[in-house]
Amino acid sequence: MKLVTAVIKPFKLDEVKAALESFGVKGLTVSEASGYGRQKGHTEVYRGAEYQVDLVPKLRIEVLVDADDADDIIDVIVKAARTNKIGDGKVWAVPVDTVVRVRTGETGPEAL
């Protein structure tokens, strides 16, 4: 099993969710995140004063998948989240050794 994690622009969430659901993903976790990459934040004007926004708001999506599906899931997320502009985000996968469904006690692939 693998944990696929994506950091994306917030307005792309609905598209990414729809793409994952059409692929067959049954569950995911979404949390708010902030950070910066190559864009190093941006400047904004508020009440006539310009200020630097160092940490850009993002969403972090986590999906637990079978190892055989991880590359396909990454492709689905990348295609749905892409705007072809700086700050689109990142997607990565890490191996998962143990998974337990709390309600039933199922482990391994059955817990997905």
Side-chain angles (χ1 to χ4, degrees):
M1 285 171 287
K2 291 197 175 186
L3 177 65
V4 176
T5 304
V7 177
I8 64 168
K9 291 182 175 183
F11 67 88
K12 297 299 277 184
L13 177 61
D14 290 336
E15 291 176 52
V16 171
K17 268 180 44 181
L20 288 171
E21 287 170 1
S22 68
F23 186 82
V25 171
K26 295 187 178 5
L28 55 89
T29 301
V30 178
S31 52
E32 291 182 9
S34 59
Y36 68 90
R38 291 186 179 153
Q39 82 271 19
K40 302 282 191 229
H42 61 279
T43 58
E44 288 188 6
V45 177
Y46 179 71
R47 293 189 177 181
E50 186 174 304
Y51 64 98
Q52 180 71 21
V53 177
D54 294 330
L55 300 176
V56 180
K58 302 283 185 178
L59 290 179
R60 179 180 175 127
I61 300 172
E62 296 173 309
V63 183
L64 196 57
V65 299
D66 189 76
D68 295 337
D69 294 333
D71 290 335
D72 293 332
I73 294 288
I74 290 171
D75 289 341
V76 165
I77 294 171
V78 168
K79 288 176 185 167
R82 179 177 287 146
T83 67
N84 290 319
K85 295 188 175 133
I86 195 163
D88 275 352
K90 296 265 189 293
V91 183
W92 64 91
V94 294
V96 174
D97 294 329
T98 305
V99 177
V100 178
R101 184 183 309 255
V102 175
R103 179 178 54 87
T104 62
E106 295 170 303
T107 60
E110 293 81 28
L112 295 179

